[in-house]
Amino acid sequence: MRNIVHRHLGKMVAGTAIAVAGTAVMVAVTLPGTAGADDSGTRAGQSAPQAAGAAGAAGAAGAAGANEAGEAATGGRAVAPGVVEAAPAEGQQGEGRDPLTDDELERAEKIALSRQLFRSSESVDGDRGPQPLGVDLAEPEADEAGRPDAPRRADVTFYDYRDDTLVTRTVDLGTGKVVATGTQHGVQPPLSRAEKAEAAGLLIADPLGSGLKADYKDATGKALTSPDQLQLSGAVYRAAPGAQPAVLDQCGDHRCVRLFPKIKNGPWVDARQLVIDLSARKVARLDR
């Protein structure tokens, strides 16, 4: 593993499009070169006093000229400095198709999470209650389009890890009631931050995470023990015929993740060949 790491040092990556092959291979980030160095031999930040004084005098003269020009253009009156007004306070209730306010987001999730749903479901880390995924402004009904008084509704989505069900509850923000509930299997919306962190925790604790931990140790000199030490991106993984070991055949019905971890203030680590099944809480390596 260590030999693979050193062979790949120096390759660059933009975003999460990791361009190296192999599992848990560190991708080096371009380090600052001689930017800011003084070609004359003077250290950066220690320019010659004469040059600094000349530059300061030129800047002062330019500023004075600009002030005189401004006063001439305004009949001798000094131009007042610009003022940036503070953003208006956000109301508790939006209007029409305005984005949901923070208050509406919080209230919609509380209304949608009924006592029954809380007791009968399970989150990504095994606690009681479904895993929150998101809250979005619901589309208006066909006969409500364009009406300024159309009800504002929010679609609140949860993932129930107890039986791998996507739960969507529509909340009428005016009445404070749930007006519709839908459940789906095999539907995998984008991952939440909590799910990516849980996937990283499972990978760190698994023997297949040894390469990631070795790369982190090489880059930082410290042991990798927590997802908090990484910047995490990830994508849902769906099973494809012949593309994975049998343990991952249920991905798509199960909630499965491919992680793209980055060492904080350091390189990306290529972990694309590893898949974390959050539903089964297992880690596996893709065959190809």
Side-chain angles (χ1 to χ4, degrees):
M1 175 64 207
R2 305 293 281 245
N3 292 335
I4 295 175
V5 169
H6 293 301
R7 284 202 300 271
H8 286 284
L9 285 174
K11 295 188 178 181
M12 295 185 63
V13 172
T16 59
I18 303 172
V20 296
T23 301
V25 181
M26 285 200 307
V27 185
V29 175
T30 303
L31 297 175
T34 57
D38 189 341
D39 293 338
S40 66
T42 305
R43 291 184 181 180
Q46 297 181 350
S47 302
Q50 293 87 348
N67 288 339
E68 291 176 2
E71 291 183 6
T74 57
R77 298 188 306 275
V79 179
V83 177
V84 179
E85 294 184 1
E90 184 182 70
Q92 293 185 340
Q93 181 77 26
E95 297 181 0
R97 301 298 298 165
D98 289 345
L100 295 168
T101 66
D102 290 343
D103 181 76
E104 288 176 319
L105 291 169
E106 182 178 354
R107 191 156 51 91
E109 187 170 319
K110 286 182 178 179
I111 295 169
L113 186 56
S114 65
R115 184 175 300 178
Q116 179 182 358
L117 177 60
F118 179 79
R119 289 178 174 177
S120 65
S121 57
E122 187 176 304
S123 66
V124 66
D125 56 3
D127 286 344
R128 182 178 291 186
Q131 182 63 44
L133 296 184
V135 184
D136 299 291
L137 185 66
E139 292 295 326
E141 301 292 339
D143 59 348
E144 297 172 347
R147 281 176 43 191
D149 61 341
R152 278 173 68 81
R153 304 184 188 92
D155 288 332
V156 186
T157 53
F158 303 98
Y159 197 86
D160 183 0
Y161 277 88
R162 182 182 58 83
D163 58 2
D164 285 295
T165 302
L166 179 68
V167 180
T168 304
R169 311 199 84 185
T170 302
V171 174
D172 187 316
L173 295 166
T175 65
K177 296 180 179 180
V178 175
V179 295
T181 299
T183 58
Q184 297 170 285
H185 292 275
V187 177
Q188 299 294 343
L191 299 156
S192 66
R193 182 179 301 179
E195 289 174 307
K196 286 181 280 190
E198 186 69 17
L202 291 172
L203 179 57
I204 292 170
D206 192 273
L208 287 174
S210 60
L212 172 63
K213 290 188 284 188
D215 291 348
Y216 188 90
K217 182 76 171 180
D218 284 344
T220 67
K222 300 178 181 179
L224 176 61
T225 59
S226 168
D228 294 338
Q229 296 168 264
L230 300 169
Q231 293 178 4
L232 298 170
S233 297
V236 170
Y237 174 80
R238 291 179 175 275
Q244 66 281 314
V247 69
L248 296 176
D249 282 346
Q250 288 185 284
C251 288
D253 291 324
H254 283 188
R255 190 100 161 127
C256 298
V257 184
R258 294 177 82 175
L259 283 178
F260 310 110
K262 182 181 184 298
I263 298 171
K264 289 185 177 180
N265 300 316
W268 293 89
V269 178
D270 187 4
R272 290 174 297 171
Q273 293 300 106
L274 301 176
V275 175
I276 302 96
D277 184 334
L278 289 172
S279 300
R281 302 187 69 78
K282 295 180 180 179
V283 181
R285 187 191 304 275
L286 296 175
D287 293 334
R288 57 181 178 179

